[in-house]
Amino acid sequence: QVQLVESGGGLVQAGGSLSLSCAASGRTFSDYVMGWFRQTPGKEREFVAGISRGGGNIYYADSVRGRFTISRDNAKTTVYLQMNSLKPEDTAVYYCAADRAVVVYTNPGVYDLWGQGTQVTVSS
């Protein structure tokens, strides 16, 4: 069973950058599609970015495309989210998620495994 732990959140000024990491434990990391989601109080959890098992297929929410980059290193069993040109509306708790599906899904309900979340706050 894969377990996920996010890190790298913090406070950053608008226009700045943060890099999030999601470290996975377990012996079958490469069998999982990985996704990043975010959530603010009172709102539904929303898709940010997703990456296929081997990293060959990548998808972004329209709101972050061109600014965020998702990647994975299966040897290190880690998925990353590089966030550049951050905006105050990017402020949220960011969650890493995993599923044994063979394609990337944007619906958070599909994903079976979740990390604890890491807070990202962007000041104006």
Side-chain angles (χ1 to χ4, degrees):
Q1 186 73 223
V2 171
Q3 294 180 308
L4 309 174
V5 179
E6 302 97 333
S7 62
L11 175 64
V12 65
Q13 188 174 316
S17 298
L18 282 174
S19 182
L20 306 183
S21 297
C22 175
S25 63
R27 292 172 285 183
T28 57
F29 178 74
S30 62
D31 292 338
Y32 289 81
V33 170
M34 303 297 298
W36 285 98
F37 296 79
R38 65 188 183 187
Q39 188 169 27
T40 57
K43 296 183 65 178
E44 295 287 322
R45 190 165 298 186
E46 66 175 346
F47 173 79
V48 175
I51 187 167
S52 60
R53 292 178 174 187
N57 293 294
I58 294 173
Y59 302 90
Y60 297 100
D62 290 342
S63 59
V64 307
R65 187 176 295 108
R67 299 187 298 120
F68 291 10
T69 302
I70 188 172
S71 61
R72 68 189 295 164
D73 188 332
N74 286 349
K76 296 181 179 179
T77 66
T78 301
V79 63
Y80 306 93
L81 187 68
Q82 178 64 47
M83 304 184 294
N84 299 325
S85 302
L86 283 162
K87 305 174 181 179
E89 51 262 46
D90 294 318
T91 296
V93 177
Y94 282 71
Y95 296 90
C96 177
D99 193 80
R100 281 187 173 269
V102 298
V103 296
V104 173
Y105 292 90
T106 61
N107 184 350
V110 171
Y111 292 80
D112 294 321
L113 304 174
W114 294 85
Q116 84 288 350
T118 185
Q119 177 71 47
V120 171
T121 302
V122 184
S123 62
S124 60

